[in-house]
Amino acid sequence: MATADADRPALSVKIDNQIDARPQFGIDRADIVFEELVEGGLTRYVAVWHSDVPARVGPVRSIRPMDPDIAGPLGGIIAYSGGQSRFVAMMKKTELHNAIHGGKDDRFMFRTDKRRAPHNVILQADDVVTNYDSLDAPSAQFRYSPEGWAPLFGRASDGVDIVFSQASERNWRWSADAGVYARSQAGVADRVDDGTRITAENVVVLEVDIDGRYGHIPKTVMVDEGQGWVSTGGSVMKVTWEKTSRDARIVLRNAAGSEVRLTPGNTWVELMPKSGSIDVL
């Protein structure tokens, strides 16, 4: 698929991050990746492709209760491998087209013999986007600087260390030469299946509440407000964040109340529980 077709819909996919699912396929080419806490202290991703859709992405996993609030503002397509019926029903109430493994869009998914089930469902991403290209294109989810690095009136920073739980530590390190942040998990370089290091132009960490109404399945509270940190261009700034409804985008503001602009490029959003921690270097 051609790069930067602005009229096509966004494709959001629930991506596995269990150790048997790594390295993932195509996540390095996502425009936005949201990392969320799931059961057992592990994390999963909602990865969003629009400007550069790979042929294949995955491994694809099941939906969780916060995912409608994450994907709702994006519109377009949400692909996942099923989930509890109550969570699937919640997602189907959004305006997104639900592409579910085992459903009518199963023709766009297959199981690779390179992984063990259930960590082996792969989505033919470009094919599913082409098939539903009549869906609306997404609106911008963040504000971006018109050119070059976004001016942050914060402080110089080498990166951030983020702890979701005892089982999940994330590390981002700024590379001035490459102009990006390089990602590690528990101190090990994070890569995709072809060996490419996962990097980001922007790393946004949002401190979030966890709703325990679903028992052992944590729900990240997205329709809320709180504090956060934006890292871009080698600088970090403390911010506040707000999301007013399921279908509203996340708004980041500085201490003066102005909306923060990010560097043009890909963004990782770390939805860090308040029980976790961040160390700004």
Side-chain angles (χ1 to χ4, degrees):
M1 177 174 285
T3 298
D5 181 354
D7 292 331
R8 67 187 174 202
L11 171 64
S12 301
V13 185
K14 196 62 184 288
I15 300 291
D16 199 353
N17 190 37
Q18 202 263 3
I19 193 167
D20 290 336
R22 303 177 204 156
Q24 292 92 350
F25 301 86
I27 200 169
D28 58 315
R29 291 163 60 181
D31 293 283
I32 306 175
V33 180
F34 297 87
E35 184 169 21
E36 62 186 27
L37 182 71
V38 294
E39 53 271 29
L42 303 178
T43 67
R44 288 187 185 175
Y45 305 133
V46 176
V48 186
W49 288 267
H50 182 244
S51 63
D52 182 17
V53 182
R56 297 174 178 178
V57 303
V60 181
R61 288 302 301 271
S62 56
I63 212 75
R64 289 297 182 270
M66 52 281 198
D67 296 333
D69 293 334
I70 293 173
L74 295 155
I77 306 159
I78 176 73
Y80 53 101
S81 64
Q84 291 190 17
S85 58
R86 54 183 172 172
F87 303 150
V88 173
M90 291 162 59
M91 184 58 80
K92 287 184 174 180
K93 288 181 180 178
T94 70
E95 299 300 316
L96 286 83
H97 172 78
N98 284 235
I100 308 173
H101 180 49
K104 69 174 185 177
D105 290 315
D106 215 26
R107 65 192 187 277
F108 300 117
M109 302 185 195
F110 66 94
R111 289 190 181 271
T112 176
D113 59 8
K114 294 181 179 179
R115 305 290 167 83
R116 295 182 299 170
H119 315 287
N120 62 347
V121 177
I122 305 300
L123 175 70
Q124 297 179 124
D126 54 353
D127 288 345
V128 74
V129 171
T130 298
N131 191 76
Y132 293 106
D133 64 357
S134 62
L135 296 174
D136 290 340
S139 59
Q141 297 301 297
F142 298 104
R143 294 287 180 252
Y144 294 89
S145 179
E147 58 182 65
W149 287 340
L152 274 189
F153 298 101
R155 68 170 177 85
S157 168
D158 290 331
V160 293
D161 293 334
I162 307 155
V163 176
F164 276 75
S165 71
Q166 290 183 346
S168 298
E169 179 185 345
R170 308 289 170 259
N171 318 100
W172 290 95
R173 292 293 180 269
W174 170 246
S175 170
D177 291 339
V180 294
Y181 294 88
R183 177 178 165 88
S184 300
Q185 297 200 63
V188 178
D190 209 0
R191 302 181 186 276
V192 294
D193 69 302
D194 67 0
T196 301
R197 183 78 178 269
I198 294 175
T199 62
E201 300 279 357
N202 307 287
V203 178
V204 177
V205 182
L206 304 183
E207 188 178 69
V208 296
D209 281 317
I210 300 296
D211 185 337
R213 73 177 69 185
Y214 299 110
H216 72 288
I217 299 176
K219 179 188 177 183
T220 300
V221 179
M222 294 298 302
V223 182
D224 202 357
E225 59 185 19
Q227 69 176 7
W229 296 261
V230 172
S231 295
T232 192
S235 295
V236 65
M237 173 190 284
K238 198 164 186 178
V239 299
T240 60
W241 69 271
E242 180 183 38
K243 190 179 192 306
T244 57
S245 69
R246 182 194 70 187
D247 296 331
R249 68 184 183 89
I250 297 167
V251 177
L252 307 170
R253 298 191 185 278
N254 61 24
S258 299
E259 190 164 357
V260 173
R261 291 183 179 271
L262 304 181
T263 298
N266 70 320
T267 299
W268 276 65
V269 182
E270 303 282 10
L271 301 172
M272 182 191 75
K274 288 183 177 177
S275 60
S277 65
I278 178 172
D279 185 13
V280 180
L281 305 180

